[in-house]
Amino acid sequence: MPLIGAVISNDDKLKEIALSDNLNTSNQALDKINDEDLLFNIAINSDNHGIRVNSVNKIKNRDLHEKIILNSDFDDIIIESIPKVSNEVLLCDLALNKDKYSSKIRETACKHIFNRKVLDEISTNDDDKYVRNVAIKRLKLLNKSNIKINRK
């Protein structure tokens, strides 16, 4: 039987429970939260990987996903948010900025970039062979499908 039901509906209390150490009750509280700003706050403040990821996956607002990318210290939720944004400038910055972002973040960003010049630069000049390989694969995919989308 669920520990948290319709009895608790106060968002502040649900946030407190979601940020608690008890994973079971945290997830139950998270299931009750629909306020995306509150989910954003839980995602960037939780110490628990599962709670962070579950919070991010409930968020639909692209602007909030961009805020997660720009404000989070956790690679896991940055990586979860990357496919949910369409800001090509942000994606290119993530892929190119090897001093600020991990290889996994950069690889994930490369998978969603449409800018062939940036992908070409990464595929030929990047120090990280894994990021280079993802950029090469993305370029091949874009060239094979002849995608001519320019996202802004």
Side-chain angles (χ1 to χ4, degrees):
M1 182 161 155
L3 299 173
I4 300 171
V7 177
I8 299 176
S9 61
N10 179 297
D11 281 345
D12 290 332
K13 187 64 179 168
L14 288 170
K15 178 183 177 185
E16 181 183 325
I17 295 168
L19 289 170
S20 73
D21 291 335
N22 185 318
L23 187 58
N24 186 35
T25 56
S26 293
N27 277 319
Q28 289 179 34
L30 198 56
D31 287 343
K32 297 280 182 193
I33 299 171
N34 294 313
D35 180 334
E36 292 196 353
D37 290 321
L38 185 57
L39 291 166
F40 165 81
N41 283 314
I42 292 168
I44 63 170
N45 290 306
S46 177
D47 291 329
N48 182 287
H49 165 77
I51 296 300
R52 286 193 305 268
V53 170
N54 289 342
S55 297
V56 168
N57 287 328
K58 286 190 71 174
I59 297 172
K60 304 295 182 229
N61 183 313
R62 288 182 181 199
D63 292 336
L64 286 176
H65 284 288
E66 286 185 22
K67 279 179 67 175
I68 288 167
I69 291 168
L70 295 170
N71 294 297
S72 178
D73 295 327
F74 299 107
D75 284 7
D76 58 352
I77 61 172
I78 293 172
I79 290 167
E80 286 291 325
S81 285
I82 288 172
K84 297 169 176 107
V85 301
S86 59
N87 182 333
E88 189 77 6
V89 173
L90 176 59
L91 293 171
C92 290
D93 180 60
L94 292 171
L96 290 167
N97 198 336
K98 61 185 168 197
D99 295 329
K100 186 174 180 183
Y101 299 107
S102 71
S103 292
K104 289 294 182 189
I105 288 173
R106 296 176 63 234
E107 289 172 31
T108 305
C110 283
K111 292 176 183 177
H112 299 279
I113 292 175
F114 286 88
N115 186 317
R116 286 180 171 87
K117 287 182 183 179
V118 169
L119 290 168
D120 187 52
E121 179 182 332
I122 293 168
S123 69
T124 56
N125 298 322
D126 203 276
D127 298 337
D128 187 317
K129 69 179 182 179
Y130 299 106
V131 176
R132 265 196 327 268
N133 285 335
V134 172
I136 290 167
K137 288 178 184 176
R138 180 68 176 166
L139 269 173
K140 286 180 182 176
L141 176 68
L142 292 175
N143 290 334
K144 183 178 179 182
S145 61
N146 202 20
I147 295 174
K148 296 183 179 181
I149 298 172
N150 288 322
R151 298 193 308 189
K152 295 181 181 180

